[in-house]
Amino acid sequence: MALRLTEEAEKLDIPFQFNPIVSKLENLDLENLRVKTGEALAISSVLQLHTLLAMDDEMHRRNSPSGSKNPNSNHFQRVQINQNRRTLGDWLERDVVNAYSSSPDSALSPLSLAASPKMGSFLNALRSLSPKLMVITEQESNHNGFTLMERVTEALNFYAALFDCLESTVSRVSLERHKVEKMLFGEEIKNIIACEGTDRKERHEKLEKWILRLELAGFGIIPLSYHGRLQANRFLQSYGYDGYKIKEENGCLVICWQDRPLFSVSAWKFRRYD
């Protein structure tokens, strides 16, 4: 990344510095970014922002007045205790009863989105830096469902498309493919289905929810230009693979395999109020 950005900056004759910071988002100290007054700041978050939702979910569970009385609150504890005697089918059959209960996780109301202190404070901190541009890339799927059945169904559809994509574009004997399938996709699937609380980091959500969340945090969406969309399509076609598609949704780009959305890319700016 440093090499590519430096090369682009030299082509455009723009002063440029690259200061890498290795940190999980929840531990990131924005003061370490060393942003200077008068500098144009661009922020790019690629498949990372959703990890902050785990801490908000845990705080919601702890602060819920009915947490100890809710019959669903220790559902996964019971599942883990009886895991040697129950099959996945048993878990899903038992879980279907909970699928009809309301969930603050899956709600799209501004009230539910506002009740995300960790995510909200992080976005407010980013806004305080007054970035000229912020680009957010996230998985276009709802893996943050309240019930196990919701997450299993969503994960099955989403990752089936990803594996189909790999099957059509990468050889089965490829070592890189094996690593991606086992160390990336496999670990994500396991985290979505088998983990709860702060351990469940892979809480992917769809574009419509990210739009509401970022707007509540004071950011305004920047519709992508026709030239930008044209460049994205040309870049995708340069790989020479059939099956990839790019479509526009609410001024953002959605990357698809066949007709299945896989990733969303949205651009944002700090919205000043008078």
Side-chain angles (χ1 to χ4, degrees):
M1 183 182 295
L3 179 61
R4 288 194 174 189
L5 290 175
T6 301
E7 289 177 348
E8 289 297 320
E10 289 176 352
K11 290 178 184 178
L12 298 172
D13 195 23
I14 296 175
F16 176 78
Q17 287 184 333
F18 186 85
N19 300 313
I21 296 177
V22 180
S23 172
K24 294 182 178 180
L25 288 189
E26 60 263 32
N27 300 327
L28 179 62
D29 183 359
L30 295 181
E31 293 183 359
N32 289 333
L33 297 181
R34 289 178 279 181
V35 178
K36 299 178 181 178
T37 304
E39 286 184 332
L41 174 66
I43 298 172
S44 175
S45 173
V46 182
L47 310 181
Q48 292 296 317
L49 201 55
H50 64 267
T51 59
L52 294 176
L53 295 173
M55 300 188 69
D56 285 334
D57 178 67
E58 185 67 14
M59 293 176 65
H60 173 79
R61 290 171 185 267
R62 292 178 179 178
N63 297 332
S64 175
S66 58
S68 59
K69 299 178 182 179
N70 188 345
N72 300 329
S73 62
N74 59 354
H75 170 68
F76 283 93
Q77 294 178 6
R78 295 198 302 271
V79 167
Q80 291 172 357
I81 292 173
N82 299 319
Q83 62 181 346
N84 294 327
R85 290 174 289 174
R86 303 183 69 88
T87 66
L88 178 60
D90 295 330
W91 296 358
L92 296 179
E93 183 178 358
R94 184 176 186 175
D95 197 58
V96 73
V97 178
N98 301 328
Y100 299 98
S101 61
S102 60
S103 165
D105 254 354
S106 58
L108 271 174
S109 67
L111 182 61
S112 66
L113 294 174
S116 302
K118 184 63 178 179
M119 178 68 73
S121 63
F122 184 80
L123 292 176
N124 286 335
L126 291 182
R127 191 182 63 176
S128 69
L129 299 176
S130 299
K132 297 293 184 181
L133 176 71
M134 184 165 71
V135 180
I136 305 295
T137 303
E138 282 291 334
Q139 290 88 342
E140 182 61 7
S141 191
N142 180 25
H143 295 143
N144 198 21
F146 184 62
T147 66
L148 176 62
M149 175 168 282
E150 286 180 282
R151 301 205 299 271
V152 168
T153 302
E154 283 286 331
L156 178 63
N157 293 328
F158 180 78
Y159 286 98
L162 278 179
F163 280 109
D164 183 53
C165 169
L166 284 178
E167 180 68 20
S168 301
T169 56
V170 184
S171 169
R172 290 189 178 185
V173 298
S174 168
L175 180 60
E176 289 77 10
R177 173 177 168 176
H178 291 166
K179 289 181 178 180
V180 168
E181 290 179 336
K182 181 178 180 180
M183 302 173 65
L184 181 60
F185 295 161
E187 290 301 313
E188 287 182 358
I189 294 170
K190 182 168 65 175
N191 188 264
I192 291 167
I193 295 175
C195 297
E196 272 303 326
T198 54
D199 292 331
R200 181 159 61 88
K201 300 292 187 182
E202 303 301 334
R203 295 171 175 266
H204 313 145
E205 293 184 337
K206 292 190 175 182
L207 177 61
E208 57 185 352
K209 198 161 184 178
W210 285 112
I211 289 176
L212 287 175
R213 182 176 284 115
L214 287 158
E215 287 180 343
L216 282 172
F219 288 92
I221 197 166
I222 304 176
L224 298 176
S225 66
Y226 171 77
H227 179 68
R229 297 195 303 272
L230 191 62
Q231 278 189 313
N233 275 296
R234 286 177 176 173
F235 182 75
L236 197 58
Q237 292 171 1
S238 68
Y239 284 100
Y241 297 125
D242 294 328
Y244 291 107
K245 297 179 182 179
I246 290 181
K247 66 178 183 179
E248 184 180 1
E249 184 176 326
N250 297 318
C252 310
L253 290 186
V254 177
I255 303 172
C256 307
W257 173 251
Q258 306 298 348
D259 293 322
R260 168 72 198 198
L262 295 180
F263 303 98
S264 65
V265 183
S266 56
W268 301 84
K269 63 181 179 180
F270 170 51
R271 189 171 57 220
R272 288 181 169 83
Y273 299 97
D274 296 331

